Amino acid sequence: MSKIWTKKPMSAFENDMKSSQLKRVLGKWSLTAIGIGAIIGGGIFVLTGTGAYYHAGPALALSFIIAGIACVFAALCYSEFASILPVEGSAYAYAYGTVGEIFAWVIGWGLILEYAMGSMTVAVSWSGYFNKLLKMFGLHLPDYLTSDPASYTGEGFSMNLPAFLIVIFVISILIKGTKEAAKANNLIVIMKVSAVLFVIIAGVFFINTDNWNPFIPAATLVKEGENLKEAYGIQGIISGAAAIFFAYVGFDAVSTQAGEAINPKKDVPFAIIVSLLVCTGLYILVSLVLTGMMHYSDFDPQGKYPDAIKAPVAYAFEIAGQGWAGYIITIAATVGLISVLMVMIMGQSRIFLGMSKDGLIPKMFSDVHPIRKTPAKSLMLLGVIIATVAAFTPISKLADMTSFGTLFAFTMVCVAVWILRKKEPNMPRTFKVPALPVIATLGICINIYLIWNLSHEAKYLSLAWLALGVIIYFTYSLKNSKLHKVGYGETFKAEQEPLQKPDLDL
């Protein structure tokens, strides 16, 4: 059993950096755009409606603040790790080099849940805005082609066809190359940020302050489907923070691209922190404007505006009599959510790449296309799985499971960076977390508390996923791990050869 705690040598990570087949094409601002591209999306354009109605009411802004604070603690820990181990794999790689293989596997398995469920959630969200856009131009898809089986009220077959097709479209872009995908993402991010600023500036003129009274509604029960659930009050603010947490996954996605960054040890920490701070500020402002323009109770899917919860920002302007603004927002959201999906699937494939290179999952996931320099096989398989599940699963179940995966990974990173600081205090770090014991402790406590406040169903399904991961580790990964199967010397030549300082760090 001692094998499961074996750590991957730091020298092996440096060798991975030098021998990587991925192209280093991402600069400081491209990485920042990737973070913003992933963060701005579902949180602003979709989850603001569900967060306001099912959880916090006007106090949704406080939910975003709490989630943002939790993210700051984790982001600082991610930044220190990224300055030490600038390789693909994110928290998985960090844990492998500090705590041990079993710890790394559990984190990696949790990251798979985070990115897969996040991609599916965004695909379903995109479908909602796309359908709204079609209706604006007088086009209507039949309900059985825009609804998952659980949401379909008719009889016979149904699927969310737009969600399925957008995933396939994004996969085709990612296979072509990282540089091309980054260029497309940069353009979309500019459009999204402009749209968000438009919402904030234009929406201020339509705020009715009566909609903020009371700012924290009294705790009560609201109907979700056929069930009743607790909402509002202080507990509603906390549960709201947990529910919308997946919207902050963007800065984690930055760390998964470290293997393609030009100067990863400096640029990745910069991009992580800047993208998080910018987007947290935008989230808070948009949530205040939205709940000021439209009463939180009007997001009831069984109420006066049943579709408002699917595209809350656009509907808020329509209800305010500004239909022209709804066109702008709907177009921006429809295009903008594509970049969120792009970054999440790209991050997912890089997690697979790192785990596969270590032998913990099959080799096909680390096969890189000889010309395009992308993990094409992995991307195609991911595309089929994500597209299929997104087409047949309700968004509420996907979002909560994404939040579990995100919070779990953040907790583990806060633990691992503290362990590494204790064990390797003299290791060169271009970025160090200030007051690490305080920051790490707060990060661990807040993230665990938010996990506890997720829905029971999400917690049970996520724990079942982690249990499945443990079974796979002991039946496949432990036997095929390169650390055990071949050995340090043969697997990682960096153990036998003097390391040269990579040009990228000069």
Side-chain angles (χ1 to χ4, degrees):
M1 289 294 289
S2 60
K3 284 185 177 182
I4 67 175
W5 298 105
T6 304
K7 293 182 291 184
K8 184 174 178 178
M10 292 297 167
S11 55
F13 285 106
E14 294 192 40
N15 190 54
D16 284 347
M17 290 171 58
K18 292 189 291 183
S19 62
S20 175
Q21 299 179 60
L22 299 174
K23 288 184 179 179
R24 291 194 177 274
V25 295
L26 300 176
K28 177 193 299 183
W29 295 109
S30 289
L31 288 166
T32 303
I34 284 174
I36 294 174
I39 297 173
I40 294 181
I44 283 182
F45 294 125
V46 180
L47 289 187
T48 42
T50 58
Y53 180 70
Y54 288 119
H55 296 281
L60 180 64
L62 299 181
S63 296
F64 276 116
I65 291 173
I66 293 171
I69 291 172
C71 282
V72 167
F73 298 140
L76 291 171
C77 295
Y78 263 98
S79 296
E80 178 165 329
F81 261 135
S83 73
I84 301 169
L85 298 174
V87 294
E88 67 275 351
S90 182
Y92 157 77
Y94 306 156
Y96 212 166
T98 57
V99 185
E101 186 174 271
I102 183 63
F103 201 86
W105 168 264
V106 172
I107 289 182
W109 193 248
L111 286 171
I112 292 172
L113 175 70
E114 170 188 337
Y115 280 98
M117 292 297 167
S119 299
M120 296 165 194
T121 304
V122 173
V124 176
S125 301
W126 180 88
S127 175
Y129 269 95
F130 178 70
N131 289 326
K132 179 172 175 54
L133 183 63
L134 290 181
K135 290 177 182 177
M136 285 181 166
F137 291 96
L139 301 174
H140 298 270
L141 291 176
D143 287 345
Y144 71 88
L145 289 181
T146 60
S147 304
D148 60 84
S151 305
Y152 184 52
T153 56
E155 296 180 358
F157 174 83
S158 69
M159 70 175 293
N160 194 331
L161 182 61
F164 182 92
L165 294 178
I166 191 59
V167 174
I168 302 303
F169 172 72
V170 166
I171 291 294
S172 68
I173 295 176
L174 294 176
I175 288 176
K176 289 182 179 179
T178 300
K179 189 173 184 179
E180 290 74 13
K183 287 181 179 178
N185 180 67
N186 291 346
L187 292 174
I188 295 173
V189 166
I190 291 173
M191 178 185 292
K192 280 200 298 188
V193 172
S194 299
V196 170
L197 292 175
F198 168 79
V199 168
I200 295 169
I201 295 170
V204 166
F205 296 98
F206 302 99
I207 289 176
N208 179 358
T209 55
D210 289 342
N211 290 333
W212 289 338
N213 187 23
F215 189 71
I216 303 177
T220 187
L221 297 175
V222 297
K223 193 171 184 180
E224 184 177 18
E226 297 300 322
N227 302 315
L228 293 175
K229 63 170 291 182
E230 293 183 10
Y232 315 131
I234 300 300
Q235 185 60 38
I237 295 172
I238 301 299
S239 66
I244 54 91
F245 202 88
F246 102 94
Y248 284 95
V249 72
F251 78 81
D252 175 84
V254 173
S255 68
T256 69
Q257 301 302 128
E260 291 150 285
I262 296 172
N263 190 1
K265 290 189 176 182
K266 293 181 180 179
D267 292 349
V268 171
F270 173 88
I272 287 174
I273 294 172
V274 171
S275 62
L276 176 61
L277 293 178
V278 168
C279 294
T280 299
L282 293 176
Y283 274 172
I284 294 167
L285 292 174
V286 169
S287 62
L288 286 171
V289 168
L290 182 65
T291 55
M293 293 179 66
M294 189 170 170
H295 196 271
Y296 68 91
S297 63
D298 286 336
F299 291 111
D300 182 357
Q302 300 177 26
K304 185 178 179 182
Y305 307 106
D307 292 331
I309 199 166
K310 297 178 181 178
V313 181
Y315 270 97
F317 277 92
E318 282 191 16
I319 293 169
Q322 307 299 314
W324 61 273
Y327 279 88
I328 295 175
I329 295 164
T330 301
I331 292 171
T334 304
V335 177
L337 286 171
I338 294 176
S339 74
V340 184
L341 185 60
M342 189 183 301
V343 172
M344 285 192 167
I345 295 178
M346 188 159 54
Q348 171 82 87
S349 66
R350 272 47 175 188
I351 298 292
F352 276 154
L353 181 65
M355 297 175 75
S356 178
K357 283 167 65 174
D358 293 326
L360 302 185
I361 59 177
K363 184 180 180 300
M364 67 157 288
F365 290 103
S366 58
D367 287 344
V368 175
H369 194 280
I371 299 175
R372 293 169 178 164
K373 301 300 181 182
T374 58
K377 292 180 182 178
S378 178
L379 284 168
M380 286 188 282
L381 178 60
L382 276 173
V384 172
I385 296 172
I386 292 170
T388 302
V389 177
F392 296 98
T393 309
I395 188 172
S396 58
K397 298 184 186 301
L398 295 172
D400 272 6
M401 289 185 69
T402 306
S403 292
F404 181 96
T406 307
L407 290 163
F408 180 78
F410 288 0
T411 302
M412 295 300 100
V413 168
C414 291
V415 171
V417 75
W418 198 354
I419 291 174
L420 184 61
R421 184 79 73 85
K422 288 289 186 181
K423 291 187 174 181
E424 301 285 350
N426 298 320
M427 181 176 291
R429 293 167 169 84
T430 57
F431 178 87
K432 293 183 72 173
V433 179
L436 178 60
V438 176
I439 296 296
T441 300
L442 289 173
I444 293 165
C445 293
I446 291 178
N447 287 316
I448 290 176
Y449 184 62
L450 291 176
I451 288 175
W452 185 258
N453 281 277
L454 287 171
S455 67
H456 293 303
E457 185 178 18
K459 285 185 286 190
Y460 295 148
L461 289 173
S462 299
L463 289 173
W465 172 262
L466 293 178
L468 175 62
V470 171
I471 293 171
I472 292 174
Y473 174 75
F474 283 105
T475 57
Y476 176 87
S477 304
L478 185 60
K479 298 176 183 177
N480 292 277
S481 169
K482 290 185 178 179
L483 284 182
H484 312 311
K485 190 175 180 180
V486 184
Y488 291 174
E490 188 176 344
T491 306
F492 305 117
K493 293 183 179 179
E495 289 286 292
Q496 301 172 345
E497 301 172 357
L499 285 172
Q500 297 180 355
K501 187 175 181 62
D503 294 338
L504 297 172
D505 295 334
L506 294 177

